[in-house]
């Protein structure tokens, strides 16, 4: 039988086969049931009722006699009760001196202070000239020919005096005479100042640059080397170090701890670290840890400052709000105002003592000096820490860089301990809320990781201080018994490493990283400052019955276009007239300022390749006080431009006035 026939047989006879199986199973179950023993053969109802009645009667019977012997107690309850009422003999527990005071030693273990992260990081790009050192003292800009004197622009104001009555005429003449005398006195003073400025100006070849336009510092040589201009293209950063929070953490960790030492147990800032991340092609949220690049620390900045700079710009931040180990020195900026990148808006410009004196001046006279607020001082004391007015500061890096070892710097033997005992500690005084962290990321041609133009960066910073639980001076090491368990585990590893290297390990405690700054970029080589606007001359006319303005003289504005020349390391100012659509570019002979000699030189075939374009400007309207007066007062000008990066910029004559007058040589032109 093949498969097809078998399949056909099952298809036609399958139901019959199933019915046969069901019938066979039913027959087997009937046959098996007939052979089971009946329940009546084993259990009878009458017999079950009789057994239940017997069990119920057995439960109701008295079984006491059977369990009395097992439950009878072995002890006498009355005897045991009387025994428990007997008093205990107190003599073994009695103290010999019941009221004697016992001394209990309570110590607080030393902890590691928590260091709050820096905050409010500000970054901004700048382009300037800084003073460097050179053995020869020669530089490319010094060899240029001096510029000629400028032609004075004749601008005589035309005034029409208002009509006066005969009664007021004499009074008006007296007022005019007084005004003329005041103007003559002012002119004499200005001439004296000009003569003084000219006498202070260098005698180098070239037209002298007005000293009042020098907003930077004056460099000085060190005897062996002379100052020369150097490129200062950098991104500057400022941040707040939460000094008040650090002091509070030190108080919680050490002030009440065992073995507190005034000299050792206070914040001694030692270093800072700066990292940068490129966000030109990504957002800050997309940054990974690998995107952050190390840029600055204290030792690198000190080496650059002492080996390449010709001095430092005068510090503007009060001493109370900075620390030499974390507040980087301001570069020796030439000609330019450096306040923009050396200050922080949350750092006061006055010292704590000046603030206290100002607050005392505002008090009523009877409350200004009382027995509670007067401070007694011995001869020669001028405040501070009671040590001749000299605040105690330790600049670890300076002594180390000058060859003094850390152990020598921190003290000899037990002298530091004794000195700390008699010296007031920073934890016991009111602390300023913040100190200034400052850093500079310079463009260095030889450094491939230097910031690049047209790139956008963010910065973060952290600070470090000397570990108070493992000081550099071994004689000031706290006892192991005074340390907490966590601190001891950490210090033990440092001790083992010091013994292995036969040299004291420098332990620096670091804060967390700050939040990233706002994006910053390097500025381009050109800048411009808006001057006065001339609205031109127009004449109303009528065309086909409609009024129109016919422009006889198109409006124009003055602009001081200033380009930084990277080859000569000087600024090239160009005074130019612009109209709507003008491009702030120039090619030809230009003037360039020598920042070292404060002289204006002549640069042939100069180029100012700015792509900034003037879109439109407004202002220049005549401001009249009296209707019939021709006034020289004009409404300040406002200019809208496309900058070289394609962005819109608005420049205001009021904001640019100072820089415009400097780089347009307004004083020399008689304007």
């Amino acid at each position: 039988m093949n498969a097809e026939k078998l399949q056909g047989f099952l298809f036609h006879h399958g139901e019959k086969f199933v019915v046969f199986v069901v019938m066979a199973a039913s027959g087997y179950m009937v046959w098996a049931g007939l052979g089971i023993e009946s329940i009546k053969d084993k259990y009878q109802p009458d017999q079950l009722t009789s057994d239940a009645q017997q069990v119920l009667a057995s439960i109701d019977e008295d079984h006491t006699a059977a369990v009395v012997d097992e439950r009878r107690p072995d002890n006498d309850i009355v005897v045991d009760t009387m025994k428990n009422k007997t008093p205990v003999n107190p003599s073994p527990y009695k103290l010999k001196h019941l009221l004697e005071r016992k001394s209990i030693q309570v110590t607080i273990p030393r902890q590691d202070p928590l260091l709050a992260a820096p905050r409010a990081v500000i970054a901004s790009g700048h382009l300037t000239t800084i003073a460097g050192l050179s053995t020869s003292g020669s530089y490319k800009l010094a060899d240029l020919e001096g510029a000629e004197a400028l032609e004075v622009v004749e601008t005589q104001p035309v005034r029409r005096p208002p009509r006066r009555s005969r009664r007021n005429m004499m009074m008006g003449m007296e007022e005019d005479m007084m005004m003329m005398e005041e103007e003559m006195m002012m002119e004499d003073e200005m001439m004296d100042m000009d003569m003084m400025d000219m006498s202070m100006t260098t005698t180098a070849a070239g037209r002298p640059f007005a000293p009042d336009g020098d907003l930077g510092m004056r460099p000085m040589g060190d005897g062996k080397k002379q100052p020369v201009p150097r490129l200062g293209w950098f991104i500057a950063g400022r941040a707040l170090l939460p000094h008040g929070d650090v002091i509070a953490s030190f108080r919680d960790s050490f002030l009440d701890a065992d073995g507190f030492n005034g000299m050792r147990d206070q914040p001694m800032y030692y270093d800072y670290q700066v990292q940068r991340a490129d966000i030109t092609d990504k957002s800050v949220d997309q940054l990974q840890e690998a995107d952050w690049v190390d840029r600055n620390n204290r030792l690198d900045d000190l080496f650059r400052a002492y080996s390449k700079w010709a001095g430092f710009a005068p510090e503007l931040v009060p001493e109370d709000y900075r620390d030499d180990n974390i507040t980087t020195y301001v570069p020796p900026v030439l000609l330019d105002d450096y306040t923009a990148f050396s200050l922080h808006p949350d750092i006061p410009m006055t010292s704590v003592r000046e603030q206290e004196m100002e607050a005392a001046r505002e008090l009523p006279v009877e409350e200004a000096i009382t027995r509670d607020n007067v401070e007694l001082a011995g001869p020669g004391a001028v405040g501070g820490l009671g040590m001749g007015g000299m605040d105690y500061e330790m600049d670890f890096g300076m002594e180390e860089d000058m060859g003094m070892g850390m152990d020598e710097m921190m003290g000899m033997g037990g002298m530091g301990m004794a000195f700390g005992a008699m010296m007031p500690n920073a934890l016991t005084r009111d602390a300023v809320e913040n100190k200034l962290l400052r850093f500079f990321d310079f463009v260095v041609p030889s450094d491939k990781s230097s910031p690049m133009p047209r790139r956008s960066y963010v910065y973060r910073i952290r600070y470090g201080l000397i570990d108070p639980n493992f000081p550099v001076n071994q004689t000031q090491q706290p006892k192991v018994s005074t340390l907490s368990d966590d601190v001891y585990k950490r210090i033990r590893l440092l001790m083992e490493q010091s013994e292995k290297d036969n040299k004291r390990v420098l332990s620096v405690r670091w804060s967390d990283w700050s939040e990233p700054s706002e994006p910053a970029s390097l500025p381009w080589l050109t800048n411009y400052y808006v001057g006065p606007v001339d609205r031109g001359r127009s004449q109303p006319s009528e065309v086909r019955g409609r009024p129109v303005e016919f422009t006889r003289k198109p409006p124009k504005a003055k602009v001081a276009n200033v380009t930084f020349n990277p080859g000569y390391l000087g600024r090239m100012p160009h005074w130019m007239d612009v109209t709507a659509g003008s491009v702030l570019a120039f090619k030809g002979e230009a003037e360039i300022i020598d920042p070292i000699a404060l002289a204006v030189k002549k640069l042939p075939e100069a180029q100012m390749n700015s792509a900034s374009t003037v879109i439109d400007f407004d202002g220049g309207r005549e401001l009249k006080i009296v209707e019939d007066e021709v006034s020289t007062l004009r409404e300040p000008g406002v200019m809208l431009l496309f900058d070289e990066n394609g962005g819109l910029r608005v420049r205001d004559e009021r904001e640019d006035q100072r820089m415009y007058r400097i780089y347009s040589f307004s004083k020399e032109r008689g304007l």
Side-chain angles (χ1 to χ4, degrees):
M1 183 178 295
N2 55 20
E4 294 181 359
K5 292 181 178 182
L6 178 61
Q7 185 177 3
F9 176 79
L10 293 175
F11 179 77
H12 292 92
H13 303 284
E15 296 178 355
K16 299 176 182 179
F17 180 74
V18 172
V19 171
F20 173 77
V21 172
V22 171
M23 293 179 63
S26 301
Y28 173 76
M29 290 178 9
V30 171
W31 177 78
L34 294 175
I36 297 176
E37 182 181 4
S38 177
I39 192 174
K40 293 183 178 181
D41 297 340
K42 187 175 181 180
Y43 300 104
Q44 294 296 327
D46 297 339
Q47 182 66 32
L48 293 175
T49 302
S50 176
D51 293 343
Q53 291 177 352
Q54 291 179 2
V55 172
L56 180 62
S58 176
I59 294 172
D60 294 338
E61 293 179 358
D62 186 7
H63 301 281
T64 304
V67 298
V68 165
D69 294 338
E70 296 179 1
R71 301 183 63 182
R72 189 181 302 278
D74 296 336
N75 58 330
D76 191 344
I77 300 299
V78 177
V79 175
D80 290 345
T81 303
M82 296 303 296
K83 183 179 179 181
N84 291 335
K85 290 184 178 181
T86 305
V88 178
N89 183 17
S91 58
Y93 307 99
K94 187 176 182 181
L95 297 176
K96 297 180 180 180
H97 305 286
L98 190 60
L99 300 179
E100 182 181 3
R101 183 182 297 274
K102 298 293 183 179
S103 61
I104 301 175
Q105 184 178 3
V106 178
T107 60
I108 299 177
R110 295 171 60 88
Q111 304 288 339
D112 282 332
L114 300 177
L115 304 180
R119 50 178 176 257
V121 184
I122 302 175
S124 56
H126 302 273
L127 174 62
T128 184
T129 307
I130 62 176
L133 291 174
S134 173
T135 305
S136 63
S138 61
Y139 52 96
K140 191 175 180 181
L141 183 54
D143 299 332
L144 293 179
E145 183 181 353
E148 293 84 1
L150 294 175
E151 182 180 355
V152 177
V153 179
E154 297 292 340
T155 55
Q156 295 295 335
V158 179
R159 295 179 180 270
R160 293 181 181 177
R163 295 179 179 178
R164 302 177 182 176
S165 63
R166 294 180 177 272
R167 181 178 179 181
N168 296 330
M169 187 171 297
M170 295 301 297
M171 296 178 59
M173 292 177 62
E174 292 178 0
E175 293 177 357
D176 291 342
M177 292 295 294
M178 293 177 62
M179 291 179 61
M180 290 178 61
E181 291 179 358
E182 292 179 358
E183 291 179 358
M184 292 178 63
M185 291 177 63
M186 291 179 63
E187 290 179 359
D188 293 341
E189 292 178 358
M190 293 296 295
M191 291 180 61
D192 293 340
M193 293 179 62
D194 292 343
M195 294 298 294
M196 185 181 299
D197 292 342
M198 291 295 293
S199 63
M200 295 174 61
T201 306
T202 178
T203 58
R207 189 175 75 244
F209 182 72
D212 56 0
D214 182 10
L215 307 180
M217 61 159 288
R218 286 289 84 212
M220 296 179 62
D222 59 0
K224 297 181 181 179
K225 297 182 179 180
Q226 298 300 320
V228 294
R230 292 283 186 262
L231 176 65
W233 204 6
F234 55 84
I235 296 178
R238 290 87 67 206
L240 299 178
L241 187 153
H243 181 66
D245 295 342
V246 174
I247 289 292
S249 180
F250 267 70
R251 287 172 181 164
D252 296 340
S253 301
F254 301 124
L255 196 58
D256 297 327
D258 188 21
F260 172 73
N261 177 268
M263 179 179 180
R264 175 193 60 206
D265 299 331
Q266 60 178 319
M268 298 181 183
Y269 300 110
Y270 177 74
D271 201 355
Y272 58 86
Q273 290 181 347
V274 179
Q275 289 186 340
R276 186 193 68 209
D278 192 334
I279 60 168
T280 306
D281 303 321
K282 62 176 65 175
S283 65
V284 177
D285 298 335
Q286 296 174 335
L287 290 176
Q288 304 295 327
E289 196 64 29
D291 296 327
W292 292 98
V293 180
D294 292 335
R295 288 306 299 159
N296 294 70
N297 60 52
R298 183 181 64 89
L299 292 180
D300 291 343
D301 288 345
L302 279 177
F303 175 78
R304 178 185 62 228
Y306 277 94
S307 62
K308 299 182 180 180
W309 291 353
F312 311 103
E315 186 60 70
L316 303 176
V317 179
E319 189 175 2
D320 300 323
Y321 298 96
R322 56 184 170 88
D323 189 291
D324 288 341
N325 283 339
I326 57 174
T327 308
T328 305
Y329 301 113
V330 181
V333 177
L334 302 176
L335 295 185
D336 295 328
D337 184 7
Y338 57 87
T339 57
F341 55 82
S342 61
L343 302 178
H344 194 285
D346 294 332
I347 294 292
M349 291 292 293
T350 56
S351 65
V352 174
R353 182 171 294 276
E354 291 173 340
Q355 296 174 22
E356 293 174 349
M357 294 175 63
E358 184 64 26
R361 294 192 191 99
E362 297 177 358
L363 291 175
V365 178
E366 60 272 11
E367 299 180 6
I369 301 178
T370 64
R371 292 180 61 89
D372 297 329
N373 60 27
V374 69
E375 180 180 352
L376 299 180
V382 291
L385 298 178
M387 301 176 60
M390 179 181 66
D391 288 341
Y392 175 72
E393 294 184 359
M394 300 195 69
D395 189 345
F396 295 95
M398 294 295 293
E399 279 79 359
E400 183 181 14
D401 295 338
M402 295 174 65
M404 183 176 292
M406 281 291 186
D407 292 339
E408 299 175 2
M409 175 190 60
M410 293 294 292
M412 300 294 182
M415 184 179 65
M417 301 289 286
F419 186 64
M422 69 178 181
M423 171 189 155
N425 184 266
L427 308 188
T428 61
R429 295 176 289 161
D430 294 335
V432 297
E433 182 179 357
N434 299 301
K435 286 184 179 289
L436 178 64
L437 285 162
R438 186 194 292 145
F439 61 88
F440 300 95
D441 190 9
F442 279 86
V443 173
V444 181
S446 59
D447 185 2
K448 296 182 180 180
S449 61
S450 292
M452 299 294 293
R454 303 189 186 278
R455 307 293 296 181
S456 184
Y457 302 100
V458 292
Y459 290 81
R460 67 180 185 180
I461 187 172
R462 66 175 181 172
Y463 61 91
L465 47 77
I466 295 296
D467 187 358
N469 286 320
F470 194 77
V472 179
N473 190 349
Q474 189 172 359
T475 61
Q476 295 185 358
Q477 175 63 45
K479 295 180 180 180
V480 175
S481 58
T482 63
L483 304 177
S484 64
D485 294 340
D486 295 338
V487 176
Y488 171 71
K489 293 178 182 178
R490 182 178 63 83
I491 298 303
R492 184 182 62 181
L493 299 177
L494 295 175
M495 290 181 175
E496 294 175 355
Q497 184 66 33
S498 298
E499 293 179 359
K500 180 180 178 181
D501 298 341
N502 195 22
K503 181 181 179 182
R504 186 75 169 179
V505 174
L506 174 61
S507 178
V508 179
R509 301 292 295 166
W510 291 98
S511 70
D512 294 331
W513 289 104
S514 66
E515 293 295 324
S517 67
E518 292 295 323
S521 302
L522 291 171
W524 202 235
L525 302 179
T526 58
N527 205 344
Y528 32 83
Y529 305 101
V530 176
V533 172
D534 183 1
R535 295 192 60 82
R537 210 177 335 167
S538 60
Q539 179 180 350
S541 181
E542 185 175 343
V543 178
R544 296 180 182 180
R546 295 182 180 181
V548 295
E549 287 284 337
F550 174 68
T551 303
R552 301 181 61 88
K553 180 182 177 183
K556 62 182 179 179
K558 294 286 188 181
V559 173
N561 188 7
V562 184
T563 299
F564 187 88
N565 191 311
Y568 288 90
L569 300 177
R571 295 192 182 278
M572 300 186 303
H574 181 61
W575 195 43
M576 57 191 305
D577 292 325
V578 296
T579 58
S582 296
V583 178
L584 302 183
F586 172 78
K587 183 177 181 181
E589 183 178 301
E591 295 180 339
I592 185 169
I593 303 172
D594 187 339
I596 300 293
L598 281 185
V600 182
K601 304 295 184 66
K602 187 166 52 177
L603 181 62
E605 300 181 0
Q607 290 188 3
M608 299 180 180
N609 297 322
S610 173
S612 299
T613 305
V614 178
I615 300 176
D616 200 359
F617 46 81
D618 193 11
R621 298 177 181 86
E622 184 178 358
L623 299 178
K624 295 183 179 181
I625 300 176
V626 182
E627 286 296 332
D628 59 350
E629 179 183 10
V630 179
S631 175
T632 57
L633 297 178
R634 295 290 184 270
E635 183 182 35
V638 180
M639 186 176 294
L640 178 65
L641 307 100
F642 269 123
D643 63 12
E644 57 272 4
N645 296 320
L648 286 174
R649 297 182 64 181
V650 177
R651 302 302 294 261
D652 192 335
E653 180 185 355
R654 293 170 298 177
E655 298 177 358
D656 292 352
Q657 182 179 19
R658 184 181 188 186
M659 303 306 297
Y660 169 80
R661 292 189 60 83
I662 290 175
Y663 288 112
S664 64
F665 305 111
S666 297
K667 187 175 181 180
E668 299 179 48
R669 299 179 191 273
L671 297 175

